[in-house]
């Protein structure tokens, strides 16, 4: 399976037991929507929610949005049924499975192996991708091995909620410290996750932001995560999707500047120089790498925009 070739600026969570939310999620313009079989479902509803999720994945118009589920953790009694029943019913309508509370590389291997057997049995032509949640201290300790556990793996997500409980942190319901704390309390965890993701060639997705009634705070959190190298953030409400889509896309200025940097460097290279300047600032090979990252991200976003435009024309 190839590494990520689709943007993941916004990943919208939707309870798999709440059928009335499905259509709104499908129309949200999120890069990915996952129907949640885990924390968003009451334990008594989790088995029945599998069929509801599979039906929605098959029958609704998701446009260019990646279709996903979040299964239950592999150490629960629901895990194998989440994979077997949902894949069997959804088939090619399921693009991604999100695996929560991953502690070891073997957790990812377990899901990968089960999926391989299912795909062969069902005759599926497209492999289902995986994303993993780092929300346990043990998972953070082993994140370097986890991100290399399967070639299905396309993204790793920092889950601040369960992670704060695992660490024994004193936080409020938005996972912010209950006392005055200098800087980002989760900076170490965020940095470790994004470094692991980048080293493995996969995407890093930032934690959810429960206070959906404060869009400005969500925007700031998204922009700070983007500055660190995260490519997207979870949304727990459709109103957060547009904010994330904007925050994790290069601005017009960034794109134009990146193109100027590339052009200036290539011109210098052609004349035998290893560096040049743009707007009075040094430009060398390191700046070229950064500029190419910006332009590559812009291309992903533009391809997404073309998909949306094509859907609108077809409609």
């Amino acid at each position: 399976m190839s590494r990520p070739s689709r943007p993941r600026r916004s990943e919208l969570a939707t309870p798999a037991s709440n059928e009335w939310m499905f259509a709104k999620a499908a129309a949200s313009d999120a890069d990915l929507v996952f129907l949640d079989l885990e924390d968003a479902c009451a334990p008594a509803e989790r088995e029945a929610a599998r069929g509801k999720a599979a039906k929605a994945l098959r029958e609704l118009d998701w446009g260019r949005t990646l279709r996903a589920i979040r299964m239950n953790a592999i150490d629960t009694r629901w895990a194998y049924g989440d994979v077997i029943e949902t894949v069997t019913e959804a088939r090619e309508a399921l693009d991604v499975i999100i695996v929560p509370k991953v502690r070891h590389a073997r957790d990812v291997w377990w899901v990968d192996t089960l999926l391989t057997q299912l795909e062969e049995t069902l005759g599926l032509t497209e492999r289902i991708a995986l994303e993993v949640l780092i929300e346990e201290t043990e998972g953070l300790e082993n994140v370097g091995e986890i991100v290399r556990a399967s070639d299905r793996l396309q993204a790793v997500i920092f889950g601040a909620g369960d992670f704060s409980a695992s660490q024994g942190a004193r936080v409020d319901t938005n996972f912010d410290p209950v006392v005055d704390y200098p800087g980002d309390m989760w900076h170490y965890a965020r940095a470790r996750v994004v470094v692991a993701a980048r080293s493995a060639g996969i995407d890093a997705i930032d934690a959810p932001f429960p206070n959906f009634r404060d869009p400005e705070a969500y925007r700031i959190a998204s922009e700070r995560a983007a500055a660190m190298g995260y490519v997207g953030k979870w949304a727990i409400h459709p109103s957060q999707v547009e904010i994330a889509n904007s925050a994790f896309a290069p601005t017009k200025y960034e794109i134009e500047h990146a193109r100027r940097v590339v052009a200036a460097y290539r011109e210098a290279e052609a004349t035998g120089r290893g560096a040049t300047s743009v707007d009075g600032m040094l430009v060398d090979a390191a700046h070229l790498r950064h500029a190419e990252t910006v332009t590559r991200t812009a291309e992903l976003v533009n391809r997404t925009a073309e998909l949306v435009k094509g859907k609108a024309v077809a409609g």
Side-chain angles (χ1 to χ4, degrees):
M1 180 174 289
S2 61
R3 288 313 191 189
S5 59
R6 295 276 297 275
R8 280 174 160 83
R9 298 164 298 173
S10 53
E11 295 199 349
L12 176 63
T14 305
S17 55
N18 293 4
E19 295 165 284
W20 60 274
M21 292 184 174
F22 294 169
K24 190 170 184 178
S28 67
D29 197 34
D31 287 337
L32 179 148
V33 170
F34 67 92
L35 303 182
D36 191 5
L37 298 169
E38 196 211 17
D39 286 353
C41 285
E45 299 291 326
R46 291 181 185 180
E47 293 178 8
R50 297 167 185 160
K52 295 177 182 179
K55 184 174 186 291
L57 293 170
R58 288 195 319 268
E59 296 182 1
L60 292 179
D61 180 6
W62 295 89
R64 56 94 189 172
T65 298
L66 288 170
R67 300 158 295 180
I69 61 164
R70 174 165 66 165
M71 62 180 286
N72 282 275
I74 70 162
D75 60 353
T76 69
R77 66 182 179 86
W78 298 287
Y80 79 98
D82 288 347
V83 178
I84 293 172
E85 291 185 30
T86 310
V87 172
T88 299
E89 292 188 41
R91 296 182 177 250
E92 286 84 359
L94 178 63
D95 301 310
V96 179
I97 292 178
I98 299 173
V99 189
K101 298 179 177 64
V102 173
R103 294 178 171 87
H104 301 277
R106 64 174 178 261
D107 300 348
V108 184
W109 175 88
W110 185 89
V111 180
D112 186 343
T113 301
L114 185 56
L115 275 176
T116 298
Q117 295 170 357
L118 269 172
E119 289 166 346
E120 292 176 358
T121 300
L122 299 172
L124 301 184
T125 56
E126 296 292 332
R127 295 181 77 202
I128 295 170
L130 294 177
E131 298 185 4
V132 296
L133 269 160
I134 300 300
E135 47 189 343
E136 301 288 333
T137 52
E138 196 173 6
L140 186 66
E141 194 70 12
N142 298 318
V143 68
E145 296 175 3
I146 289 169
V147 295
R148 292 173 173 80
S150 168
D151 65 354
R152 294 180 187 269
L153 195 57
Q154 294 196 346
V156 56
I157 307 149
F158 172 55
D162 277 295
F163 191 87
S164 63
S166 178
Q167 184 168 300
R170 296 175 61 192
V171 296
D172 60 21
T173 53
N174 205 50
F175 315 134
D176 293 322
V178 295
V179 298
D180 184 33
Y181 190 92
D184 176 12
M185 190 166 96
W186 304 120
H187 182 79
Y188 168 74
R190 282 191 166 103
R192 190 159 178 179
V193 167
V194 74
V195 168
R198 290 294 186 180
S199 70
I202 64 175
D203 288 338
I205 311 298
D206 194 36
F209 193 90
N211 187 8
F212 66 89
R213 297 187 184 280
D214 191 344
E216 179 62 15
Y218 180 77
R219 182 189 63 78
I220 292 171
S222 296
E223 290 177 346
R224 289 175 177 172
M228 291 185 69
Y230 281 81
V231 304
K233 188 172 180 65
W234 268 17
I236 57 95
H237 190 276
S239 65
Q240 295 179 327
V241 168
E242 184 178 353
I243 299 170
N245 284 351
S246 175
F248 289 96
T251 65
K252 183 178 179 181
Y253 169 78
E254 287 177 301
I255 295 168
E256 291 176 349
H257 185 264
R259 288 171 177 165
R260 290 173 61 208
V261 166
V262 172
Y265 185 84
R266 294 305 183 200
E267 181 180 351
E269 191 177 43
T271 59
R273 292 177 290 141
T276 185
S277 65
V278 172
D279 298 333
M281 299 289 288
L282 173 71
V283 170
D284 60 12
H287 296 90
L288 178 67
R289 287 183 64 187
H290 174 71
E292 288 175 339
T293 297
V294 172
T295 55
R296 186 165 54 249
T297 302
E299 288 168 1
L300 282 177
V301 172
N302 286 338
R303 282 205 294 271
T304 298
E306 287 301 314
L307 283 171
V308 173
K309 181 179 178 182
K311 177 183 174 184
V313 171

